[in-house]
């Protein structure tokens, strides 16, 4: 790679609060592509949380980080809380100034075609201020702006030891998730995002439903094998 095309990282600071970061009370309509991508990721993360324990996976739950300005916040499409806040069953928002409340270890934004600017330009700054450990931005329709080399099918932002949230990946994937010790893999012609143990995607994570189906299929295959052996003995 020539010196003129060498890539460099960018680090900058953001305020904890900024005008325009208020949470909207309006619910924006989402496309089928957006909704299906979110549902799959939530199902995969729910299965992961069940295996790992002491985690809670939520959808569209507000995260707020300043007690004096509680209207400021983010509402990830999916987020992973670890440990879960108290009274998790009645949880209405995460308020990081309260005891037992902490920012998500992972937050996911699936880019909306109706407002891609929010996910590309505003979201990273807000999540940096929120204290989230890792942010995934998935753009299944490549609806984002062309500035700074975009649109990108997948971006991963990770909080480093010094506290800064740094973009560690932007491209078509697979992309590392240091927090989950896994890889994010774009599938279904770019429309969905799955999680795998390895960059080659030889070991995909399964949802709870997929795991049950796989176990059932394995049991049926074993029964068929035993029946075949019994039939051979009876001949």
């Amino acid at each position: 790679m020539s010196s003129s095309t060498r890539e460099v990282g960018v680090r900058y600071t953001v305020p904890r609060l900024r005008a325009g970061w208020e949470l909207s009370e309006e619910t924006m309509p989402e496309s089928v592509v957006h909704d299906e991508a979110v549902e799959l990721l939530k199902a995969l993360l729910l299965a992961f949380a069940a295996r790992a324990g002491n985690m809670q996976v939520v959808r569209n739950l507000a995260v707020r980080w300043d007690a004096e300005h509680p209207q400021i916040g983010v509402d990830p499409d999916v987020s992973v809380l670890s440990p879960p806040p108290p009274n998790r069953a009645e949880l209405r928002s995460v308020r990081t100034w309260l005891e037992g409340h902490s920012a998500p270890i992972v937050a996911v934004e699936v880019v909306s075609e109706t407002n891609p600017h929010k996910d590309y330009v505003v979201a990273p700054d807000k999540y940096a201020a929120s204290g989230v450990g890792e942010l995934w931005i998935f753009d299944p329709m490549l609806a984002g702006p062309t500035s700074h080399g975009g649109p990108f099918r997948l971006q991963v932002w990770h909080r480093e030891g010094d506290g800064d949230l740094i973009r560690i990946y932007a491209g078509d994937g697979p992309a590392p998730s240091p927090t989950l010790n896994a890889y994010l893999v774009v599938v279904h012609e770019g429309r969905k995002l799955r999680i795998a143990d390895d960059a080659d995607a030889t070991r995909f994570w399964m949802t709870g439903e997929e795991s049950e189906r796989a176990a059932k299929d394995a049991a049926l295959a074993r029964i068929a094998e035993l029946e075949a052996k019994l039939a051979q003995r009876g001949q």
Side-chain angles (χ1 to χ4, degrees):
M1 182 179 294
S2 68
S3 60
S4 61
T5 58
R6 186 177 295 119
E7 295 180 352
V8 297
V10 177
R11 187 187 299 267
Y12 58 92
T13 59
V14 298
R16 278 179 53 83
L17 305 171
R18 179 177 286 165
W21 282 8
E22 296 82 7
L23 288 169
S24 173
E25 299 298 330
E26 180 181 1
T27 301
M28 298 296 291
E30 300 292 358
S31 68
V32 171
V33 171
H34 179 282
D35 196 57
E36 289 183 348
V38 170
E39 287 297 332
L40 175 58
L41 284 169
K42 182 181 179 183
L44 291 169
L45 291 169
L46 279 170
F48 167 74
R51 296 192 301 271
N54 202 32
M55 291 184 180
Q56 183 178 8
V57 178
V58 293
R59 180 173 178 182
N60 294 330
L61 185 74
V63 179
R64 311 171 194 272
W65 58 89
D66 192 283
E68 295 182 0
H69 302 85
Q71 75 278 14
I72 298 290
V74 291
D75 52 349
D77 286 315
V78 183
S79 55
V80 181
L81 308 174
S82 181
N87 301 320
R88 56 188 293 178
E90 291 80 31
L91 194 63
R92 301 186 64 181
S93 68
V94 172
R95 291 164 285 174
T96 61
W97 62 88
L98 296 180
E99 184 178 357
H101 286 233
S102 56
I105 61 170
V106 172
V108 184
E109 289 285 0
V110 177
V111 176
S112 170
E113 293 178 86
T114 59
N115 190 9
H117 175 85
K118 172 183 75 70
D119 296 315
Y120 269 76
V121 179
V122 180
D125 288 1
K126 293 180 72 175
Y127 280 99
S130 76
V132 71
E134 191 169 287
L135 170 65
W136 308 346
I137 301 177
F138 178 47
D139 187 358
M141 302 304 291
L142 291 177
T146 58
S147 59
H148 303 292
F152 302 107
R153 189 80 69 180
L154 179 60
Q155 299 177 65
V156 177
W157 298 72
H158 183 75
R159 196 169 299 276
E160 296 190 336
D162 59 7
D164 288 346
L165 190 69
I166 304 297
R167 191 173 71 179
I168 62 172
Y169 183 85
D172 292 327
S177 167
T179 298
L180 300 189
N181 191 28
Y183 287 84
L184 311 179
V185 184
V186 176
V187 296
H188 290 209
E189 298 181 343
R191 303 298 182 92
K192 294 183 180 181
L193 188 64
R194 296 196 71 108
I195 308 171
D197 285 328
D198 57 325
D200 294 328
T202 61
R203 299 184 301 278
F204 276 115
W205 291 13
M206 291 189 288
T207 67
E209 182 179 348
E210 289 169 339
S211 295
E212 291 178 4
R213 188 184 310 123
K216 182 178 180 180
D217 289 345
L220 290 174
R222 179 59 177 161
I223 290 172
E225 180 184 354
L226 292 173
E227 289 177 341
K229 289 182 178 179
L230 289 173
Q232 289 177 352
R233 290 177 182 176
Q235 291 177 353

